Amino acid sequence: MTEKQTIDEPKLSPEEQEILEKYDAESRFRTFSGKKLPLLVSLLAIGLSLYHLYTSYFGTPLTLQHRSLHVAVILALVFFLYPPFKKANRKSVPLYDWLCVLLALSTTIYFFVDYAGIVHRGGIPNTYDLLFGAILVILILEAARRVTGWALPLLAVLFFIYGLFGRELSGIWRHRGYGWDELINFMYVTTEGVYGTAIGVSATYIFLFILFGAFLSKSGMGQFFNDMALAIAGQTKGGPAKVSVIASGFLGSINGAAIANVVTTGSFTIPLMKKIGYHRNFAGAVEAAASVGGQILPPIMGAAAFIMAEILGIPYSQIALAALLPALLFYLAIIVQIHLRATKLGLKGISKENLPQVMDVLKERGHLLIPLFFLLYMLFFSGRTIIYSAFLTIIVTVFVAMFRKTTRMTIRDLLDALEQGARNAIGVAVACACVGIIVGVATMTGFGLKLANGIVMLGGESLFLTLFFTMIACIILGMGLPSIPTYIITATMAAPALVTLGIEPLVAHLFVFYFGLFANITPPVALAAFAAAGISGGDQMKTGFISMKLAIAGFIVPYMFVYNEALLLLNTTFIEGALVVVTSITGVVMLGAAAEGYLFTKIPLFLRILLFGGALLFMNPNLVQDLMGFAIIGFVLLYQWWRGKKQAVASATVSL
């Protein structure tokens, strides 16, 4: 008997680490030689995590001081940990990076030393305000370049130039123009620039939930999810692919890191998928689509739900509940295609004796579910703040992990979790700071409203065309950018176009969030799919297009919930909600079958088109359309069943 299949805590090979760093700039850390410098960086990271835990329980200092401290320490960590170029020395920190660290820390020291003066000046900057503001903006742009790549800082620079020279433009894009001092002052000493909503959420909710994820990881939650996915789905048709979907979905919801998810989970699941018979392009695409989709899956949604709650001013619980059904439909569509392809190719799962048993997995690590249930209780039923809920959940995680020796955390583990949490938060925090520049200029110049008006004009007051152009804008804005800054940018500039047409703000924000997110698997810049292709050995572009096909529900469902808010369980009765669940599931299954082109037997092209059209009929709540849709799927099912029977009889006759 062979050893049972399990997914251990991720230990990447040098080749996998190279793939991760190639497509995920956030993973290009320095590896120091010696002991003093690593100790200094660890102390700084641990100190930042302890500071956030302390403020989550006892309360934060004044808003600008708190946010400036968060940004300054994050910037210091960037210049310690990230080399300026890929081929730069990773063993030591050059003098200019030490200078950047000191300058970064000086921007918050100034806030604490002269905060009263900053407040009393009331937006009229002095020389020191402008000096430290300019230092902050430059350091953020450089940090964003190192951590996220060129796309985000270049976009910020373009917006800054627009703020300076917008008076030279004509038409709707023209504005009165702002001076350097006005822009810098707005970015530095207000809560609408760098220290705006994005950093506000990063310095509260996001950091704590990333820290929560680090503690879960140290307790072995990742291995629990993976082993449970193997136990549940490993034996079914195409089992490893379904394992990939389940494990990547759960992990992606917690950590929000699509590319890192692809590499860590995919390093195990992609070879297994290839081994049972899936083509390498398809295997990579499954992992990419599932990893990206984790960020639309409650309860945590990669922390995006908390930003959405802050921007919209509505309870987090309302967003999580609204996002649940569309996310499940997305994953259902992937699993339908996986299952149909496995059936078409005659692929089997992993033999039962080589899989962990559900009860064994639950016995060994099932207690790790307690922190997640506790978190759900705190967020939905306790009435306590999100920050306090996150703090208590981290404490509960540490306590619950003590129940068994295999999950118990030592002092070293606790310190590692504190450090890793701060490291994992760097990418999001830097991106949010850089997005603050973009959003700040958009606020000053009214660019967001102008773009929204431009989209509505292109749409010609047509809802569908406006949705389509908004989708294109979101995909373009999301190419090459992390998911959270992408959402903030699209929420600022694209969502207002939909609100203008009377769409509920929550619906509009979920729409733009979906399409900004799925830019990660939309060629020509599909970083998650490219990373998966690096592991599978497949073709990058083909893997990207297959990822799009697998994620087809992610491109259709947003249109469905715009036309039918009941899909988000908004403004609906129980009966209406139940009917929507039935029709939407039916439509998504039809969509998956049409995309895969198989149901009992190969589906002819004309039937695939008919099936796709039938799925679209369920987009708009209408009894006639629903009946037409059910009639189409009934006809296709009967026709395919008849063809399958006919082919089976023909095969039996030939064999005789």
Side-chain angles (χ1 to χ4, degrees):
M1 183 183 296
T2 60
E3 185 179 350
K4 288 180 183 266
Q5 298 282 357
T6 60
I7 305 178
D8 297 324
E9 291 298 312
K11 294 179 181 178
L12 302 182
S13 67
E15 294 78 12
E16 290 163 349
Q17 183 64 36
E18 184 179 345
I19 292 169
L20 180 60
E21 292 183 6
K22 180 178 180 181
Y23 297 106
D24 184 15
E26 294 179 29
S27 303
R28 298 171 193 154
F29 290 119
R30 282 187 171 113
T31 53
F32 304 113
S33 59
K35 295 182 178 179
K36 292 183 179 179
L37 194 54
L39 178 61
L40 175 61
V41 173
S42 295
L43 289 175
L44 188 62
I46 292 170
L48 182 62
S49 293
L50 290 174
Y51 166 77
H52 280 286
L53 286 173
Y54 176 87
T55 55
S56 67
Y57 186 79
F58 292 102
T60 62
L62 296 170
T63 299
L64 282 173
Q65 290 179 334
H66 175 61
R67 295 179 184 182
S68 72
L69 178 61
H70 175 76
V71 172
V73 178
I74 287 289
L75 289 176
L77 287 172
V78 169
F79 293 112
F80 272 137
L81 290 171
Y82 288 87
F85 304 103
K86 288 183 181 180
K87 296 183 179 180
N89 181 10
R90 295 196 183 189
K91 300 296 183 181
S92 62
V93 178
L95 183 60
Y96 55 81
D97 274 350
W98 278 100
L99 177 61
C100 289
V101 169
L102 295 176
L103 289 173
L105 295 176
S106 72
T107 61
T108 192
I109 292 172
Y110 177 67
F111 252 111
F112 279 86
V113 170
D114 193 34
Y115 187 78
I118 291 171
V119 172
H120 289 149
R121 284 191 289 277
I124 302 174
N126 65 13
T127 302
Y128 289 111
D129 293 344
L130 296 177
L131 173 63
F132 285 106
I135 289 171
L136 180 68
V137 169
I138 292 169
L139 291 179
I140 287 172
L141 292 172
E142 170 58 14
R145 184 192 68 81
R146 295 189 187 193
V147 176
T148 68
W150 284 97
L152 187 58
L154 281 178
L155 188 60
V157 169
L158 288 174
F159 267 82
F160 211 88
I161 293 171
Y162 175 69
L164 289 171
F165 301 107
R167 66 170 65 89
E168 308 298 330
L169 300 176
S170 60
I172 65 170
W173 307 112
R174 188 177 186 276
H175 62 85
R176 73 175 184 85
Y178 294 90
W180 172 266
D181 56 340
E182 292 176 288
L183 285 169
I184 292 296
N185 181 66
F186 190 84
M187 297 299 158
Y188 185 51
V189 299
T190 74
T191 55
E192 296 183 79
V194 169
Y195 301 133
T197 299
I199 275 298
V201 178
S202 172
T204 50
Y205 314 133
I206 294 178
F207 190 96
L208 285 171
F209 278 95
I210 289 176
L211 189 58
F212 169 55
F215 276 92
L216 279 181
S217 178
K218 276 295 174 185
S219 71
M221 175 59 86
Q223 186 171 344
F224 169 73
F225 278 146
N226 290 328
D227 288 349
M228 183 57 74
L230 273 170
I232 293 171
Q235 193 181 1
T236 62
K237 290 181 180 180
K242 296 173 184 175
V243 169
S244 171
V245 171
I246 296 170
S248 298
F250 279 121
L251 291 172
S253 176
I254 293 172
N255 62 32
I259 298 174
N261 231 25
V262 165
V263 176
T264 52
T265 307
S267 62
F268 178 86
T269 59
I270 290 174
L272 269 184
M273 284 187 267
K274 291 168 63 180
K275 185 176 180 180
I276 68 164
Y278 283 116
H279 190 276
R280 57 182 180 269
N281 292 335
F282 188 85
V286 168
E287 182 61 47
S291 294
V292 169
Q295 293 162 91
I296 62 172
L297 182 67
I300 298 177
M301 296 171 65
F306 304 111
I307 301 179
M308 204 176 294
E310 186 75 11
I311 293 174
L312 294 174
I314 61 178
Y316 154 82
S317 55
Q318 184 178 339
I319 293 172
L321 183 62
L324 181 59
L325 182 56
L328 295 178
L329 292 174
F330 170 79
Y331 277 103
L332 175 62
I334 296 178
I335 289 175
V336 166
Q337 293 179 66
I338 287 170
H339 183 80
L340 290 176
R341 176 158 296 206
T343 304
K344 178 171 63 176
L345 299 177
L347 305 183
K348 306 296 182 183
I350 303 170
S351 58
K352 186 176 181 179
E353 61 269 19
N354 292 331
L355 291 171
Q357 300 300 306
V358 171
M359 293 309 300
D360 291 341
V361 176
L362 287 173
K363 181 180 177 181
E364 187 66 24
R365 298 178 187 272
H367 58 288
L368 295 179
L369 289 172
I370 294 174
L372 291 180
F373 289 128
F374 179 80
L375 175 63
L376 291 175
Y377 165 76
M378 291 297 295
L379 292 174
F380 284 89
F381 305 109
S382 72
R384 306 305 293 265
T385 65
I386 295 175
I387 300 173
Y388 185 74
S389 299
F391 168 79
L392 279 187
T393 305
I394 291 172
I395 302 300
V396 169
T397 301
V398 175
F399 176 74
V400 168
M402 299 297 178
F403 289 179
R404 291 190 67 85
K405 184 178 179 179
T406 52
T407 61
R408 195 170 299 146
M409 287 184 270
T410 64
I411 297 297
R412 179 72 259 177
D413 290 331
L414 295 176
L415 292 175
D416 285 346
L418 289 168
E419 180 180 355
Q420 195 59 47
R423 283 176 173 245
N424 292 346
I426 289 174
V428 174
V430 168
C432 286
C434 195
V435 163
I437 298 173
I438 297 170
V439 174
V441 174
T443 301
M444 292 181 75
T445 61
F447 180 85
L449 183 59
K450 293 171 182 177
L451 181 61
N453 290 336
I455 292 173
V456 172
M457 287 174 61
L458 280 174
E461 301 297 327
S462 164
L463 176 58
F464 178 79
L465 288 178
T466 303
L467 290 172
F468 178 77
F469 289 125
T470 303
M471 175 188 73
I472 299 299
C474 292
I475 290 174
I476 292 172
L477 287 169
M479 284 183 176
L481 298 184
S483 59
I484 288 178
T486 297
Y487 163 65
I488 297 170
I489 293 171
T490 54
T492 303
M493 300 179 193
L498 304 182
V499 175
T500 300
L501 295 183
I503 296 172
E504 287 286 333
L506 174 56
V507 178
H509 279 246
L510 283 173
F511 184 90
V512 300
F513 177 57
Y514 263 68
F515 288 113
L517 179 66
F518 288 121
N520 273 298
I521 52 173
T522 305
V525 187
L527 297 183
F530 293 171
I535 297 173
S536 70
D539 180 89
Q540 290 184 340
M541 295 302 289
K542 289 180 180 178
T543 301
F545 283 113
I546 296 173
S547 297
M548 282 184 66
K549 190 186 81 167
L550 285 167
I552 188 169
F555 292 88
I556 300 296
V557 166
Y559 286 88
M560 291 174 67
F561 62 61
V562 167
Y563 283 101
N564 186 2
E565 291 182 5
L567 193 63
L568 301 177
L569 306 181
L570 297 175
N571 307 317
T572 183
T573 65
F574 177 80
I575 299 297
E576 290 171 341
L579 182 60
V580 164
V581 169
V582 172
T583 56
S584 59
I585 289 175
T586 305
V588 164
V589 171
M590 293 170 67
L591 202 60
E596 187 55 40
Y598 186 86
L599 189 63
F600 304 129
T601 184
K602 185 178 179 181
I603 304 176
L605 179 60
F606 80 94
L607 275 188
R608 291 178 69 176
I609 296 172
L610 183 64
L611 205 55
F612 183 79
L616 295 182
L617 287 174
F618 291 111
M619 283 178 54
N620 199 14
N622 181 292
L623 179 60
V624 175
Q625 289 184 195
D626 288 347
L627 291 175
M628 289 173 62
F630 282 120
I632 288 173
I633 194 170
F635 170 74
V636 172
L637 281 170
L638 288 173
Y639 183 81
Q640 288 299 108
W641 176 81
W642 174 75
R643 287 189 71 219
K645 284 286 187 181
K646 186 177 179 181
Q647 290 179 5
V649 170
S651 298
T653 303
V654 170
S655 63
L656 291 174

